[in-house]
Amino acid sequence: MRRMTQFLAATRLSLVALALFLLAIPAAAQSPNGPSDETAALQDLLRQGYQLENEQRWGDALTLYEDAVRRFPAQADLKQRFEFTRMHYDLGRRYRDPSFLKLISSLPLDEALDVYVDVLGKVQTYYVEAPNWKQLVECGCNGFDVALGGTDFQNRHNLSSSAPAIQSLRAELRQALAPLPIENREAARQAVEMAARLANRRLAINPSAVVLEFTCGATNALDTYSTYLTPAQLTELYSQIEGNFVGLGVELKADQGTLLIVRVIRSSPADVAGIKAGDRIVAVDGQVTREVSTDQAANLLQGPEGSTVRLVLQGPDGQSRQVSSRRTRVDVPSIEDVKIVDSSQGVGYLKLTCFQKTTTRDLDEALWSLHRAGMRSLIIDLRGNPGGLLVTAVEVADKFLEQGVIVSTHGRVAQEDFTYRANHAGTWRVPLVVLIDKDSASAAEIFAGAIRDHRRGTVVGQRSYGKGSVQGIFPLSTGTAGVRLTTAKFYSPTGSEYAGKGVIPDLEVRQAARPVESSVSTLKTNEDPWMAAAIQAVRQGQMAKR
């Protein structure tokens, strides 16, 4: 059985046990003249989120709550809305995923239960904390509870007119599961089989579909980053690690009910078609994107290799245009925008977008190219870098550190405890500045943290995301799907935990928002305070050495 470990996922979602949450405005200190600015902002966020939930715009709601939780980490109300929204979002993704629909229609009940037991076995063996079997079954029931109320699930299983029967099933399930002493995997299997058969008798729901909802509910409840992976999601994750996928080659962001293009991969089909960062997708193959959810609009862009998609785009100037593009296999570069940004001072620059299998090789090529161009100092831009492979982060850091700890990991089992150290050979000694922002996560934090702790360079920007755990990817023996589990936590060279804290920059940069496309082809540093601060740090370092 193939296992891919040491993967630091960028997914930023969480889940806990859930019944039905009601919107509640949290209490907060108020002045005699009315609510504080913070309370008003919090109430406004909750109202916006609740509106998105009512419109079933789960992707947009999830983005809003994710940012809100980071802004107000102590507010349980926001965390509840975030968790509830994530369950609906994941459900929608599964039920619009042909690979998952094929799986539930072809998987017999016994094999579905084998998948469930297989997942629990991997949790028992690899997960960073010892499992609570009773709690995992309860969380699976919560997941199935949400599925019963989901439009996609109801349509698939012909439940749209069964509201009273659904409520009756919910109550009956919880009453049946509550007294069961579930103390091992076999007991969990028996409880889930009972639930699946009961749902089939009461509402004629495919019992395998019920088992898989219990499976998803259990894995997603473990922590922020652990999750069940459909066959297509597993394939997509491997493609991300390898650095290639089938598609147009654009990075999208949900923005004001539309799809905003924030990045176009160089030489991709989108690039060839003239699609630019800052464009908004108005329609896909005649389907107006404002008439569907953001998730559904994004799904319209997917398709088999060689197929063509017709897009209506709206540029930043408000002008619309039509383009056609053919979906092909796209190689994703992990290093972009390699250049000398200040020839008089020999300041080199490169943007490191992710840590994938090809990154170390790509970085070698970029560094030697800059060296031949006269590089005397280097700016590495990690803004927006969501992470990737732990081993790649170590290899990249090792290119700039001669010795010492790069990162250490600690898990529940001994094989997850490891200390990664730098080796002297092949070290680049060029003065270094590293740019980070609030979206720099996981492997990006390992690199930036190692550079900061060893005083090897200057870290400039904003406090990073604060992801501090390692995930392993485990294919399942049945069903061609997989599971991603947190296997360890990682710590900085000085022993500090990254989770929830991130990397604090040496030089903080404040900015309300950065440009959609942070190009540094010219030194318009007034448009990019990060670059202005980075170049100033480089020049000060050069002056100090004279």
Side-chain angles (χ1 to χ4, degrees):
M1 180 67 63
R2 180 169 60 151
R3 174 196 175 195
M4 180 173 294
T5 59
Q6 301 175 343
F7 176 78
L8 290 89
T11 307
R12 299 173 296 187
L13 307 173
S14 65
L15 183 63
V16 296
L18 168 77
L20 291 177
F21 293 126
L22 298 178
L23 183 67
I25 303 299
Q30 295 186 10
S31 70
N33 296 324
S36 66
D37 290 343
E38 182 174 298
T39 302
L42 184 58
Q43 292 174 339
D44 187 53
L45 284 169
L46 284 166
R47 290 191 186 96
Q48 290 180 51
Y50 198 42
Q51 179 65 34
L52 292 172
E53 290 182 44
N54 284 337
E55 297 172 2
Q56 298 191 28
R57 292 165 55 185
W58 303 113
D60 294 338
L62 195 60
T63 299
L64 182 142
Y65 287 135
E66 181 182 11
D67 291 340
V69 167
R70 295 180 65 193
R71 183 178 173 187
F72 301 104
Q75 293 296 336
D77 305 75
L78 286 174
K79 291 178 182 178
Q80 288 180 342
R81 301 319 305 170
F82 176 69
E83 292 150 3
F84 178 72
T85 300
R86 185 226 177 164
M87 297 176 84
H88 274 285
Y89 175 75
D90 285 349
L91 175 71
R93 288 190 66 197
R94 288 194 295 275
Y95 272 82
R96 288 189 292 271
D97 182 338
S99 71
F100 182 77
L101 298 179
K102 179 180 179 181
L103 184 63
I104 61 174
S105 64
S106 62
L107 199 64
L109 176 57
D110 285 347
E111 291 187 23
L113 289 166
D114 288 343
V115 169
Y116 181 72
V117 173
D118 190 10
V119 169
L120 294 188
K122 288 176 170 49
V123 171
Q124 184 176 30
T125 303
Y126 300 109
Y127 187 62
V128 68
E129 297 176 2
N132 180 318
W133 303 115
K134 176 76 171 180
Q135 188 177 63
L136 288 181
V137 172
E138 290 174 349
C139 290
C141 187
N142 291 335
F144 179 55
D145 190 301
V146 167
L148 285 170
T151 301
D152 293 312
F153 187 91
Q154 290 184 357
N155 290 340
R156 178 73 182 185
H157 299 286
N158 300 313
L159 302 176
S160 56
S161 60
S162 305
I166 288 174
Q167 288 299 103
S168 177
L169 175 62
R170 282 172 167 156
E172 190 174 358
L173 270 177
R174 294 193 180 280
Q175 186 176 9
L177 291 173
L180 297 180
I182 303 171
E183 298 177 349
N184 52 50
R185 282 190 292 159
E186 181 56 31
R189 183 190 192 278
Q190 292 173 3
V192 171
E193 181 178 5
M194 178 273 293
R197 294 189 183 280
L198 179 61
N200 179 253
R201 288 197 304 271
R202 297 291 184 265
L203 293 174
I205 302 174
N206 179 344
S208 294
V210 178
V211 173
L212 289 181
E213 288 307 310
F214 269 80
T215 305
C216 295
T219 53
N220 290 6
L222 292 170
D223 64 48
T224 301
Y225 306 103
S226 297
T227 188
Y228 172 86
L229 299 166
T230 70
Q233 289 169 352
L234 181 64
T235 300
E236 181 182 356
L237 192 52
Y238 284 141
S239 296
Q240 291 175 3
I241 293 169
E242 296 292 340
N244 62 76
F245 65 94
V246 172
L248 302 182
V250 297
E251 180 181 335
L252 303 171
K253 175 183 177 182
D255 185 75
Q256 301 175 12
T258 67
L259 294 180
L260 175 66
I261 298 174
V262 297
R263 178 186 172 211
V264 178
I265 296 172
R266 188 171 300 173
S267 301
S268 66
D271 189 28
V272 173
I275 300 172
K276 304 292 184 183
D279 286 339
R280 293 181 186 273
I281 300 178
V282 177
V284 180
D285 286 334
Q287 174 69 63
V288 178
T289 56
R290 285 190 178 275
E291 296 177 353
V292 296
S293 70
T294 302
D295 305 326
Q296 291 170 323
N299 288 336
L300 292 173
L301 297 177
Q302 300 177 4
E305 186 171 5
S307 61
T308 299
V309 61
R310 294 177 293 108
L311 304 177
V312 177
L313 303 172
Q314 184 181 71
D317 59 359
Q319 297 297 313
S320 297
R321 67 188 191 279
Q322 296 186 18
V323 300
S324 293
S325 183
R326 186 179 299 275
R327 301 177 180 95
T328 63
R329 185 157 295 280
V330 178
D331 291 323
V332 183
S334 58
I335 308 290
E336 292 183 346
D337 225 7
V338 180
K339 61 186 69 177
I340 299 293
V341 295
D342 186 344
S343 57
S344 65
Q345 301 291 328
V347 181
Y349 170 93
L350 60 87
K351 185 170 182 61
L352 206 165
T353 62
C354 60
F355 290 82
Q356 60 193 31
K357 280 190 174 181
T358 63
T359 299
T360 305
R361 180 198 66 201
D362 295 343
L363 181 61
D364 282 335
E365 295 177 359
L367 290 173
W368 283 111
S369 173
L370 290 170
H371 176 73
R372 290 189 294 269
M375 174 181 66
R376 299 201 299 275
S377 58
L378 176 63
I379 299 170
I380 296 181
D381 192 345
L382 297 179
R383 289 177 292 176
N385 185 316
L389 294 171
L390 184 152
V391 66
T392 302
V394 170
E395 291 171 351
V396 171
D398 196 12
K399 292 187 178 299
F400 300 96
L401 298 171
E402 293 185 359
Q403 59 184 358
V405 174
I406 294 174
V407 66
S408 59
T409 63
H410 301 287
R412 181 165 58 93
V413 293
Q415 61 263 36
E416 299 296 343
D417 294 346
F418 199 81
T419 298
Y420 298 84
R421 298 180 180 274
N423 299 306
H424 181 79
T427 301
W428 288 79
R429 296 176 177 84
V430 59
L432 190 62
V433 172
V434 179
L435 291 173
I436 61 172
D437 67 5
K438 62 183 179 63
D439 294 318
S440 304
S442 74
E445 295 175 288
I446 287 178
F447 176 77
I451 297 301
R452 183 201 60 186
D453 281 9
H454 286 286
R455 300 300 175 192
R456 172 59 183 83
T458 303
V459 178
V460 175
Q462 295 176 329
R463 180 170 68 89
S464 62
Y465 184 83
K467 180 184 181 296
S469 58
V470 183
Q471 281 70 49
I473 304 169
F474 304 89
L476 300 176
S477 57
T478 305
T480 68
V483 64
R484 184 175 64 211
L485 297 175
T486 295
T487 59
K489 296 182 178 180
F490 63 86
Y491 299 83
S492 75
T494 58
S496 298
E497 187 174 357
Y498 286 105
K501 300 177 182 178
V503 177
I504 307 299
D506 300 304
L507 179 60
E508 186 175 3
V509 178
R510 296 184 181 275
Q511 184 187 25
R514 65 187 173 99
V516 169
E517 187 175 20
S518 56
S519 172
V520 292
S521 57
T522 60
L523 283 179
K524 297 180 179 178
T525 55
N526 62 313
E527 299 178 4
D528 191 343
W530 271 271
M531 278 300 298
I535 291 171
Q536 183 65 24
V538 167
R539 290 170 178 168
Q540 288 176 349
Q542 290 175 341
M543 290 294 293
K545 294 180 64 175
R546 293 179 182 174

